[in-house]
């Protein structure tokens, strides 16, 4: 059985402007994942560089930083069994054009640079914890039980 984990997820500025916060939150809620933190905020230049540090030096980096700082985002932490990998599957591929219908990027995006949502990389161990720490203080994470948990897990 997979471990219960917490993963960092963010509706990007395009998703916020297109009114997709509710849709994205709804999908994760209905799946059974539990939101343990959420923050509507604007990312500054420094945070953008830290968050996307792995892409520094790549040709698309400056454009990526400009985009992610261009308007408000909705940052969240979601908890559940195998949460990081399940969220990535629900997001689809990096390029919405290659994402299957039914995924968030496959249903709501068309362009690689405007792909609606970010989720921690499940193939990078520690990415979820690193990103949660970057965006949230410990006291912003809330421990609680959801009423459906006994029906969701065996
Ligand atoms: N070749 C590229 N050309 C332009 N933009 C790119 C390219 N590769 C990635 N990006 C942009 O940079 C972001 C970060 O790339 P990454 O490889 O981490 O993909 P991802 O993990 O699916 O996306 P994210 O980290 O935003 O959730 C992508 O979401 C995309 O918008
Ligand atoms: Mg990534």
């Amino acid at each position: 059985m997979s471990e219960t984990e917490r993963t960092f997820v963010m509706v990007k500025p395009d998703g916020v402007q297109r009114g997709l916060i509710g849709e994205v939150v709804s999908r994760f809620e209905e799946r059974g994942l539990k939101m343990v933190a959420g923050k509507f905020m604007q990312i500054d230049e420094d945070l953008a560089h830290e968050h996307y540090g792995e892409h520094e030096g790549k040709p698309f980096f400056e454009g990526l930083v400009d985009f992610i700082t261009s308007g408000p985002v909705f940052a969240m932490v979601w908890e559940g069994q195998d949460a990081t990998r399940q969220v990535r599957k629900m997001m689809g591929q990096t390029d919405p054009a290659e994402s299957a219908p039914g995924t968030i990027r496959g249903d709501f995006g068309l362009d690689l640079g405007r792909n609606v949502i970010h989720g921690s990389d499940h193939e990078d161990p520690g990415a979820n914890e690193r990103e949660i720490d970057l965006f949230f203080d410990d006291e912003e994470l809330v421990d609680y039980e959801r009423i459906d948990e006994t029906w969701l897990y065996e």
Side-chain angles (χ1 to χ4, degrees):
M1 198 176 71
S2 301
E3 304 263 312
T4 298
E5 330 173 306
R6 286 178 168 180
T7 190
F8 176 73
V9 181
M10 173 170 72
V11 180
K12 294 182 179 181
D14 55 335
V16 172
Q17 291 296 332
R18 294 175 56 213
L20 294 173
I21 294 175
E23 173 70 37
V24 168
V25 167
S26 223
R27 287 186 180 212
F28 295 136
E29 276 184 330
E30 287 173 4
R31 184 75 193 278
L33 293 165
K34 178 166 75 178
M35 192 194 280
V36 295
K39 189 172 2 187
F40 189 68
M41 59 182 282
Q42 184 138 4
I43 297 180
D44 65 21
E45 197 78 12
D46 287 348
L47 180 57
H49 275 80
E50 265 194 270
H51 176 64
Y52 277 130
E54 64 175 306
H55 299 300
E56 206 143 6
K58 295 182 185 170
F60 59 85
F61 182 70
E62 288 309 323
L64 182 58
V65 169
D66 285 350
F67 165 59
I68 210 70
T69 58
S70 67
V73 299
F74 190 54
M76 297 160 276
V77 179
W78 288 89
E79 180 183 294
Q81 199 167 283
D82 197 30
T84 314
R85 193 168 68 97
Q86 296 308 321
V87 163
R88 289 295 300 204
K89 282 168 72 166
M90 290 170 75
M91 284 167 48
Q93 303 296 309
T94 302
D95 187 350
E98 303 305 325
S99 298
T103 64
I104 293 165
R105 287 167 170 170
D107 285 347
F108 300 111
L110 290 166
D111 190 292
L112 175 58
R114 298 290 182 269
N115 57 10
V116 182
I117 184 167
H118 164 83
S120 299
D121 187 351
H122 77 281
E123 286 172 348
D124 174 0
N128 44 14
E129 274 182 43
R130 190 174 65 242
E131 294 179 351
I132 291 168
D133 280 355
L134 197 55
F135 281 84
F136 291 97
D137 296 328
D138 284 351
E139 62 268 23
E140 291 177 307
L141 302 172
V142 183
D143 285 311
Y144 67 104
E145 265 180 41
R146 230 172 81 162
I147 199 164
D148 57 4
E149 274 171 45
T150 47
W151 297 100
L152 191 60
Y153 297 111
E154 196 176 12

